[in-house]
Amino acid sequence: MTSPRTGLRGLVAAAAALLAVALLSPTAQAAPEPKAPEEFVALSSVDRSIIQEMRYITPHDFVGEPIDGYRQPLCILTRPAAEALHRAQLGLLRQGYSLKVYDCYRPQRAVDQFVRWAKDLDDVKMKAEFYPDVDKSRLFADGYIAAKSGHSRGSTMDLTIVKLPALPTPPYHPGQPLVPCYAPQSQRFPDNSLDMGTGFDCFDTLAHTDDPRIQGVQRAHRQFLKSTLEAQGFVNLPEEWWHFTFQPEPFPDTYFDFPVARRSVAGH
């Protein structure tokens, strides 16, 4: 007959074994995804009329594949930034235009993927469109890629202006012929936005907001975008006509890493 002490040891051993199995299971090991602070909102909850064409959840970006941390085609921003965009949108709608966002809050894990990609000098599959005249080894030195991005603080977005009614943007198919991002609008990847002289995420000095080579209608369109947003407290990054940050930022020194997904934001 088993002694009480022996039986107790057996129960303890069995419990320890079950605990070990539980700790080794993927479910137990997976850390819960971080959530956005309550100051963050989905842009659509503030303004449903702003067009969202979120590029980094698609393969049509300078990496050529969907980017880490983008789970849904969703623009997430701090509430002050989203409300400022809403005010800008009201003025544009009265003139027959709409804002269109390409990217908003960006998780740190996405930035980390950009860094890894930039260090892989053999991966140049999207070079012909996004950085045709820049050697990939220069991406860090020339400032196109960095270890931190203002997007991760939640008040920076990449955007453009679209004439209404908005035509649909054709889908990108991996492997299709690539055209330089600074080619004439009729030749480069189709986009329903106003002609800004280059496409979005064009790694070229022609994308500098006030590059003197950009004149006429293209320059006027850039100034239209810039003045519209500056009137609502946004500051443009001079090297990228599409890049704006709302000031003052609620989180000027914090780089977040929650995923771009509805469940990251309160109320979703």
Side-chain angles (χ1 to χ4, degrees):
M1 184 174 69
T2 304
S3 69
R5 182 173 296 179
T6 302
L8 181 60
R9 285 200 301 268
L11 288 172
V12 170
L18 287 172
L19 179 61
V21 170
L23 291 175
L24 289 172
S25 70
T27 302
Q29 285 185 316
E33 287 278 22
K35 297 276 191 175
E38 63 182 10
E39 292 88 348
F40 281 77
V41 296
L43 176 60
S44 59
S45 70
V46 175
D47 192 313
R48 292 186 176 277
S49 68
I50 296 175
I51 300 167
Q52 299 190 29
E53 187 180 306
M54 311 307 291
R55 287 287 184 88
Y56 294 141
I57 198 170
T58 79
H60 188 221
D61 55 50
F62 56 85
V63 176
E65 61 186 48
I67 304 303
D68 290 350
Y70 288 84
R71 308 284 174 76
Q72 293 170 313
L74 182 70
C75 173
I76 295 176
L77 290 169
T78 58
R79 181 174 289 279
E83 291 176 346
L85 277 190
H86 170 63
R87 294 192 297 270
Q89 177 75 345
L90 292 177
L92 286 174
L93 290 174
R94 288 193 290 268
Q95 300 175 73
Y97 297 95
S98 173
L99 292 171
K100 179 174 80 170
V101 290
Y102 295 113
D103 191 38
C104 299
Y105 157 76
R106 181 183 305 165
Q108 180 60 44
R109 69 192 76 179
V111 180
D112 294 342
Q113 182 180 355
F114 292 163
V115 170
R116 293 193 303 272
W117 166 83
K119 292 178 178 178
D120 181 2
L121 300 184
D122 293 328
D123 183 354
V124 291
K125 61 178 174 285
M126 301 300 285
K127 177 178 173 61
E129 178 175 351
F130 291 96
Y131 52 108
D133 296 336
V134 179
D135 190 282
K136 194 175 182 184
S137 65
R138 297 285 309 170
L139 292 181
F140 289 106
D142 291 350
Y144 294 112
I145 300 292
K148 295 290 185 181
S149 169
H151 283 273
S152 302
R153 302 194 297 261
S155 297
T156 294
M157 69 287 310
D158 298 329
L159 71 173
T160 189
I161 292 177
V162 174
K163 178 69 175 174
L164 296 174
L167 299 173
T169 297
Y172 166 78
H173 301 288
Q176 73 182 59
L178 301 177
V179 177
C181 53
Y182 52 68
Q185 188 180 39
S186 61
Q187 299 175 23
R188 62 180 182 260
F189 182 81
D191 191 303
N192 58 6
S193 69
L194 300 182
D195 183 4
M196 298 289 182
T198 77
F200 165 60
D201 261 358
C202 188
F203 294 3
D204 194 280
T205 54
L206 282 167
H208 292 188
T209 307
D210 292 318
D211 188 284
R213 293 168 291 176
I214 301 297
Q215 294 293 326
V217 172
Q218 296 172 337
R219 188 174 189 84
H221 288 163
R222 291 188 184 189
Q223 293 304 313
F224 183 28
L225 175 63
K226 185 179 179 184
S227 62
T228 297
L229 293 175
E230 283 181 341
Q232 302 302 331
F234 291 94
V235 176
N236 174 240
L237 180 68
E239 291 78 18
E240 298 176 351
W241 60 258
W242 55 82
H243 180 119
F244 289 84
T245 299
F246 179 74
Q247 299 287 353
E249 293 185 64
F251 299 99
D253 303 308
T254 307
Y255 297 83
F256 295 97
D257 193 38
F258 57 86
V260 177
R262 291 180 181 86
R263 63 192 301 270
S264 296
V265 184
H268 288 269

